[in-house]
Amino acid sequence: MTQDRTRLAASLRGISGILVTPFDRDGKPNPAALEPIVARAAKAGVHGLTVNGNTSEFYSLSFAEAERMQAEVPALVAGRATIIAGVGRSVGEAEQLARVARKAGADALMVHQPPDPFNAPRGVKAYLQRVAEAGELPVILYLRNDAMGIDRIVELASLPGIAGVKWATPNVLLLAEAVRRTRGMPINWVCGLAEPWAPPMQAVGARGFTSGLINVLPERSVAILNALNARDFDSAAEQIHAIGPFEVLRAQENGGANVSVVKAALNLMGEDVGPARPPAAWPLLPEAQTTLEKLLAGWGIATRRAA
């Protein structure tokens, strides 16, 4: 178990890639279509892969679909990276997904912060405890809303079984305080806002970052991580600037193009992962599609349209 926790900690200090959920022509999940994405990520050196994350369209999946992805993806990854299983929705569904993840061979659980408008901090604590007990795996809290305040955040991060917190709010000063208060504890604070936010969050103590870009160009994500770890911030800034247009496209339409741009890029590359489901923005607006095609060409990525 200690060896597993050490491997997970090392993975969290690296890149937590969030896999898309491919859909077939009938609109059903098609986990097998992830093979080229996983192979590309593993070859580039991506440390961890997450199934049922937000880039996976977790909230657009039915429970049965989420359960299927949870059950099948670990075998497909086959040890090439650490498997982090996203769980959420009602506490009963989260518990069931946690049990499925453990049986399938996942290494850790990433618990989506409950989106219920009436959640209480102590209720979130009970939610985390029940999921951890059901899955019997290390837990990573995915924190997208820090309104509960620093005391409650530190309390949640300090719960037994919590291996990390993916910090997905731009409040870097609050993150710095959370890191300071938990210094010496076995908690990995991770930048949960992808590559552009990694430098400021690393500066206050977060290590590693999440990434949707790894589905398309994992080498660039790894280059950014390596530059940050080497304290070569000029190189990291250049690499982040190069992916800036991609992230700008993903932020369009109130963030509704986040997954859509990744899937559109994969489809252009000849890897048919299907559309992004509503309420995501699909298809891309013509101007965004043209910009994406030019960007991929500039990166040297062959596309079907260019062929």
Side-chain angles (χ1 to χ4, degrees):
M1 180 63 72
T2 300
Q3 183 177 1
D4 292 342
R5 289 295 292 259
T6 300
R7 178 173 179 255
L8 175 62
S11 177
L12 292 175
R13 291 193 294 269
I15 298 170
S16 299
I18 318 299
L19 295 168
V20 297
T21 297
F23 298 124
D24 63 20
R25 298 301 174 87
D26 296 322
K28 298 178 181 179
N30 180 22
L34 285 172
E35 173 54 36
I37 297 171
V38 170
R40 186 162 54 241
K43 182 179 179 181
V46 173
H47 310 80
L49 294 173
T50 300
V51 58
N52 287 343
N54 279 341
T55 304
S56 315
E57 301 178 82
F58 178 65
Y59 287 104
S60 81
L61 301 177
S62 70
F63 177 74
E65 290 173 335
E67 194 175 34
R68 179 185 174 194
M69 295 300 294
Q70 211 77 293
E72 296 186 24
V73 171
L76 186 146
V77 174
R80 288 176 285 181
T82 297
I83 290 291
I84 301 169
V87 303
R89 294 190 172 88
S90 72
V91 66
E93 290 172 310
E95 287 174 314
Q96 175 59 15
L97 286 175
R99 286 189 285 266
V100 171
R102 182 174 185 273
K103 183 177 180 181
D107 299 289
L109 305 172
M110 182 192 75
V111 181
H112 289 269
Q113 189 172 5
D116 191 313
F118 303 118
N119 70 75
R122 63 190 177 97
V124 175
K125 178 180 178 180
Y127 186 100
L128 286 171
Q129 289 172 320
R130 286 183 55 174
V131 171
E133 290 171 4
E136 299 179 9
L137 289 171
V139 169
I140 300 153
L141 171 60
Y142 186 18
L143 188 74
R144 294 183 58 83
N145 184 335
D146 57 29
M148 69 180 71
I150 187 63
D151 291 338
R152 300 288 78 77
I153 290 171
V154 170
E155 180 182 7
L156 294 179
S158 305
L159 288 173
I162 301 295
V165 179
K166 291 191 177 180
W167 190 274
T169 91
N171 194 339
V172 177
L173 289 178
L174 194 65
L175 169 62
E177 180 63 9
V179 172
R180 187 188 70 81
R181 289 206 196 181
T182 57
R183 191 165 287 120
M185 299 181 187
I187 303 167
N188 296 275
W189 295 90
V190 179
C191 168
L193 292 176
E195 289 86 351
W197 281 90
M201 290 195 185
Q202 186 182 78
V204 299
R207 296 291 179 266
F209 54 82
T210 58
S211 174
L213 177 67
I214 63 94
N215 290 278
V216 177
L217 192 65
E219 297 87 353
R220 188 62 56 89
S221 301
V222 172
I224 292 169
L225 178 72
N226 290 342
L228 289 173
N229 287 343
R231 301 295 190 266
D232 186 352
F233 299 113
D234 288 340
S235 176
E238 290 177 7
Q239 296 281 358
I240 290 171
H241 176 73
I243 67 167
F246 189 79
E247 296 302 322
V248 168
L249 286 176
R250 296 179 70 193
Q252 289 183 353
E253 301 192 66
N254 198 33
N258 188 293
V259 179
S260 306
V261 168
V262 176
K263 282 196 157 183
L266 290 166
N267 288 332
L268 283 168
M269 291 163 61
E271 297 175 15
D272 189 1
V273 294
R277 284 179 173 174
W282 190 269
L284 295 186
L285 295 174
E287 182 179 353
Q289 182 75 14
T290 299
T291 300
L292 178 61
E293 292 173 10
K294 291 179 179 178
L295 182 60
L296 293 180
W299 286 348
I301 297 176
T303 64
R304 288 191 293 193
R305 185 162 297 190

